[in-house]
Amino acid sequence: MTKKHEYQSKIIWTGNRGEGTRTYKGYDRTWEIRTPGKPPVPCSNDPLLGGDPALHNPEDLLVSALSSCHMLWYLHLANNAGIAVSGYEDVPVAVGETEASGAGRFLSATLRPKITVPSGTDLGAADAIHHEIHKVCYIARSVNFPVNFEATYVEV
């Protein structure tokens, strides 16, 4: 039996300089994500479109969500497999394209986690976990582009 989940977020546009969208360059493409009980997340559009490079944009957030979901499942499945992970960091890269019309999309994402495990860990078993994650990760199962991984391991 499946179980339904509901996720909510509040998006508030913060870019009104006083005259709204009266002119194309007269407003900022900034907003905040506000989720009840959590700190607000200031955002902007992609710097390629004139956004503030110091703020998160939707593309950053999607790639981060993919990486975070993968990490959480990896830690869970590693624990189930008896693999003791003591460190995990990822520098994911997503590739997108923009058409002449301005429409864009992601073509692929590659997760590149660096995972710290004890010396003597079966790295084949540790690596095999990644293949199982795409069967269960909420985010990876929801996107319509390939999500690949290139993991490296540090034994301590």
Side-chain angles (χ1 to χ4, degrees):
M1 182 167 102
T2 60
K3 184 177 176 183
K4 301 284 184 196
H5 302 274
E6 185 174 286
Y7 300 92
Q8 293 184 345
S9 179
K10 184 174 187 179
I11 306 299
I12 300 172
W13 176 47
T14 58
N16 184 351
R17 295 186 205 151
E19 295 196 27
T21 60
R22 183 176 305 269
T23 65
Y24 184 75
K25 293 189 176 195
Y27 63 96
D28 293 328
R29 279 71 171 171
T30 57
W31 68 94
E32 285 186 351
I33 299 171
R34 294 187 188 169
T35 307
K38 300 174 186 176
V41 178
C43 299
S44 181
N45 68 329
D46 188 316
L48 294 172
L49 301 170
D52 184 341
L55 300 178
H56 297 288
N57 61 55
E59 296 80 9
D60 295 337
L61 296 170
L62 180 59
V63 173
S64 296
L66 273 169
S67 177
S68 298
C69 188
H70 188 93
M71 177 195 68
L72 291 169
W73 272 106
Y74 188 89
L75 297 173
H76 174 74
L77 295 174
N79 173 264
N80 287 353
I83 297 171
V85 174
S86 61
Y88 188 111
E89 44 183 84
D90 191 7
V91 184
V93 175
V95 176
E97 70 177 1
T98 306
E99 298 174 2
S101 68
R105 66 182 180 140
F106 280 107
L107 299 174
S108 67
T110 302
L111 308 180
R112 301 180 303 177
K114 182 172 101 175
I115 302 166
T116 305
V117 295
S119 287
T121 296
D122 180 345
L123 297 183
D127 211 48
I129 293 170
H130 295 286
H131 296 287
E132 298 303 311
I133 294 171
H134 293 309
K135 297 176 186 174
V136 292
C137 174
Y138 221 89
I139 309 300
R141 288 174 42 96
S142 300
V143 298
N144 67 352
F145 54 86
V147 179
N148 307 299
F149 69 91
E150 298 172 356
T152 57
Y153 300 90
V154 177
E155 292 183 86
V156 293

